[in-house]
Amino acid sequence: MDMQLPVLMDDALAGEAGRETPALACVLEYAPDCFIALPVHAGVELVESPRLAPVPGMAHFCRGLVAWQGRQLPLIDLQAYLGGADAPAASPFSHVLIVAYQVAPGIAIDYGAFCAPFLIRMVEVVDSDQCPLPGDQARWTGIALSCFLHQGRAVPVLEPSRIFTSPVSPAIP
């Protein structure tokens, strides 16, 4: 069963927007208490019980290929991607988040997938929520567009093209 985003609306920020114009972000908890956000236009579809095809020799953070609309998309385990070769695999998941990205204007839109062990939330963000990237992960500067505070924690906003088109393993700085 597939469903279109948004999945859940988080009311925590709705009343705090004040005079600033809020924007929506798609927030994914990729591991317990570990969050990333995507621009709302990047989250395309949440797929339940996806069919996975393992691919021998893939990077440790790629769980295989996901069948979606006649395509085979790489499925990235963000916990393993961000944690390097020694990171444990993501929690068991029953959903994947299909994301769209474009490498440059005029280039065709492409797609990839992230493991989604927890429900996706749509949250409102305002400019005053902007904050520095967390210091716990050196990779943030290469894959994040920005960062915002949500419920007391910094949430990096990822640019999917920087993950799906990068030939370098996250284990290599």
Side-chain angles (χ1 to χ4, degrees):
M1 175 180 164
D2 300 339
M3 62 182 95
Q4 296 295 316
L5 294 178
V7 177
L8 295 174
M9 181 57 106
D10 191 336
D11 295 328
L13 290 179
E16 299 174 17
R19 291 180 288 244
E20 295 181 85
T21 303
L24 286 176
C26 176
V27 174
L28 170 63
E29 186 174 3
Y30 63 89
D33 291 324
C34 296
F35 299 85
I36 59 97
L38 295 162
V40 73
H41 64 272
V44 175
E45 192 170 323
L46 190 64
V47 178
E48 183 176 355
S49 303
R51 292 180 318 177
L52 296 179
V55 178
M58 290 292 286
H60 73 282
F61 54 85
C62 187
R63 299 285 289 264
L65 298 175
V66 174
W68 179 74
Q69 294 190 3
R71 300 171 183 236
Q72 296 293 318
L73 307 178
L75 176 60
I76 302 297
D77 176 341
L78 286 168
Q79 183 171 342
Y81 182 88
L82 292 167
D86 296 331
S91 306
F93 62 95
S94 61
H95 294 83
V96 298
L97 176 62
I98 306 299
V99 296
Y101 62 91
Q102 188 175 30
V103 177
I107 303 287
I109 292 174
D110 211 346
Y111 301 90
F114 292 128
C115 296
F118 302 95
L119 290 177
I120 288 41
R121 293 198 175 269
M122 300 303 286
V123 300
E124 288 184 333
V125 181
V126 293
D127 287 344
S128 61
D129 293 328
Q130 187 173 3
C131 69
L133 291 167
D136 65 340
Q137 176 53 251
R139 301 246 343 139
W140 291 133
T141 57
I143 61 174
L145 297 168
S146 62
C147 191
F148 63 88
L149 280 175
H150 177 64
Q151 297 180 346
R153 72 174 36 99
V155 178
V157 179
L158 299 190
E159 170 49 57
S161 67
R162 295 179 184 174
I163 295 173
F164 291 104
T165 61
S166 175
V168 179
S169 167
I172 301 170

